[in-house]
Amino acid sequence: MSVSGSHVVITGGGSGVGAEMARVFAAEGAKVTILGRSYAPLKEVADETGALPLAADVTQRASLDAALGQAREVNGPVAIAIANAGAAPSAPFRKVTAEAFSASLAVNLEGVFHLWQACHEEMAAAGWGRLIAIASTAGLKGYPYVSPYCASKHGVIGLTRALAQELGRTGITVNAICPGFIDTPLLSKSIEAITAKTGKSEDEARAQLYAGNPQKRFVETGEVAGTALWLCSKAAASVSGHALSLSGGEI
Ligand code: NAP
């Protein structure tokens, strides 16, 4: 199946990986809806791609449901739901507050739950659908100073595996894409934190982050978007329940 004419919803579509997925899916003729809390960056991506921009907070089910309702009115039933919104604040474990831990789970894990649960029934009714999460290599291995992020991304992979079992006969596939470090606004915050806390230069901080990648580079947003597109292709119809590592062999 081509994605042309299919309605794809992308959370966190105003920047980084989400914005690139909006470009790639729109170029393939999909009807793209992008969601995020801030409207201005969504509008910029929408002006460039023709996507429908809607403000919504994925941690708030009512906010998400309202946006999805508007999106369906414009673009029809959702066929592809890409849970991409996320945040990765860093702190040593002893300084992680209960509130910060919950906030991480809320956006990185519960946000995936809310989007997928809100969309899977219309996919099952159509006999075809794609539930995709942008997880992380932090869902497959541990990293220091991002314990809530790692815990939430490991949770996304558990959810993916469970739903692939449960939804196997519906025509829906469920997969998590697990990139290593990607050069996006989210990464810039990590680089700022490293330079501030260690006195390293920006170049040194960048090199420290991709040191674990055998290719010694950051993953590109286009590589993530291309993988999501492939998961929607006929060739990937039996790919379900996977945590696809895009990390140059890091894991
Ligand atoms: P980014 O540019 O910071 O994008 C994150 C997006 O999520 C933003 O557009 C943000 O928009 C949105 N968002 C955050 N909280 C939200 C909420 N509660 N409701 C709705 N939208 C929300 O970072 P990115 O690197 O592209 O991240 C995209 C995904 O890739 C994340 O899940 C991240 O964990 C994953 N990832 C990133 C890397 C990396 O190194 N960059 C590596 C592996 C995986 P608003 O702030 O306007 O809401």
Side-chain angles (χ1 to χ4, degrees), residues 11-18 35-38 41 56-59 84-87 107-108 134-137 149 153 179-187 189:
T11 65
S15 62
V17 173
L35 307 180
R37 291 167 304 175
S38 322
D57 184 336
V58 298
T59 69
N84 165 76
V107 62
N108 294 318
I134 308 306
S136 170
T137 46
Y149 184 70
K153 293 294 189 180
F181 291 105
I182 317 163
D183 202 354
T184 66
L186 182 143
L187 192 79
K189 287 180 200 153

Side-chain angles (χ1 to χ4, degrees), residues 159-175:
L159 182 65
T160 300
R161 289 180 175 144
L163 291 185
Q165 298 295 315
E166 188 170 328
L167 303 178
R169 292 175 61 83
T170 61
I172 300 171
T173 65
V174 193
N175 290 287

